[in-house]
Amino acid sequence: MANLRYSIRRFRQFSAKEADKLGLSPQQHQALLAIKGLPRGREMTARMLTDRLLMGRRLVEELVQQLVDEGYVAAEAPTKGRSGQVIRLTCKAEGALDQLASAHLFEIRKMAPELMQALRILQDRQRMQRITWML
């Protein structure tokens, strides 16, 4: 478990550095990913983003305002029958996410053997524990 957690921490650190190269904080990057990841036809609101990021409402409102100020998102009036602003990605955000996705995929491919090994070790240990427990 320690090796898997270490690999995850390394990947998160890599991700934060890549986002920083584009002037994004890790939280801003995660917010853009959450918006991008919505199924087609769904609209992101601050309330939904609060749930997706597991952050407080005030922090998300500040985060959205930062993203608006930096040109990564547009906050629009809600559609009929909905409350709260609709948050949409701008072309700038789409471009940044494309760049980050490429870098992340490259890093994931590089780390894949290490991650798979850590998962195999965990599975083997679980199997052994079940067998031992059954005896």
Side-chain angles (χ1 to χ4, degrees):
M1 184 65 84
N3 287 337
L4 181 61
R5 287 175 180 257
Y6 171 68
S7 295
I8 292 169
R9 283 193 307 274
R10 278 189 28 236
F11 182 76
R12 289 184 61 172
Q13 184 178 42
F14 164 83
S15 181
K17 285 180 182 178
E18 289 299 309
D20 186 56
K21 288 179 187 177
L22 297 179
L24 291 167
S25 71
Q27 293 83 8
Q28 289 173 323
H29 180 207
Q30 291 302 309
L32 296 179
L33 287 171
I35 298 165
K36 178 77 172 178
L38 272 183
R40 211 176 278 287
R42 303 263 330 257
E43 296 178 326
M44 182 61 77
T45 64
R47 175 178 281 175
M48 288 173 64
L49 196 53
T50 298
D51 291 340
R52 300 269 173 148
L53 297 177
L54 304 174
M55 295 173 66
R57 192 181 66 135
R58 173 167 266 154
L59 289 173
V60 168
E61 288 172 357
E62 291 172 9
L63 183 61
V64 168
Q65 190 57 56
Q66 289 171 357
L67 290 167
V68 168
D69 293 345
E70 293 174 23
Y72 287 104
V73 300
E76 304 168 355
T79 55
K80 283 187 176 180
R82 304 239 6 217
S83 61
Q85 292 181 320
V86 174
I87 304 163
R88 298 188 195 286
L89 297 178
T90 63
C91 291
K92 181 178 180 178
E94 295 283 358
L97 287 173
D98 285 346
Q99 279 184 267
L100 289 167
S102 294
H104 282 73
L105 285 172
F106 180 80
E107 186 67 12
I108 288 170
R109 285 185 186 116
K110 196 168 86 175
M111 292 180 70
E114 179 184 327
L115 289 168
M116 294 304 294
Q117 179 65 20
L119 288 170
R120 271 190 227 101
I121 290 169
L122 280 175
Q123 285 178 327
D124 291 346
R125 285 186 183 157
Q126 277 188 329
R127 244 183 256 125
M128 291 303 292
Q129 286 175 347
R130 272 188 257 136
I131 291 169
T132 305
W133 188 77
M134 290 168 55
L135 296 176

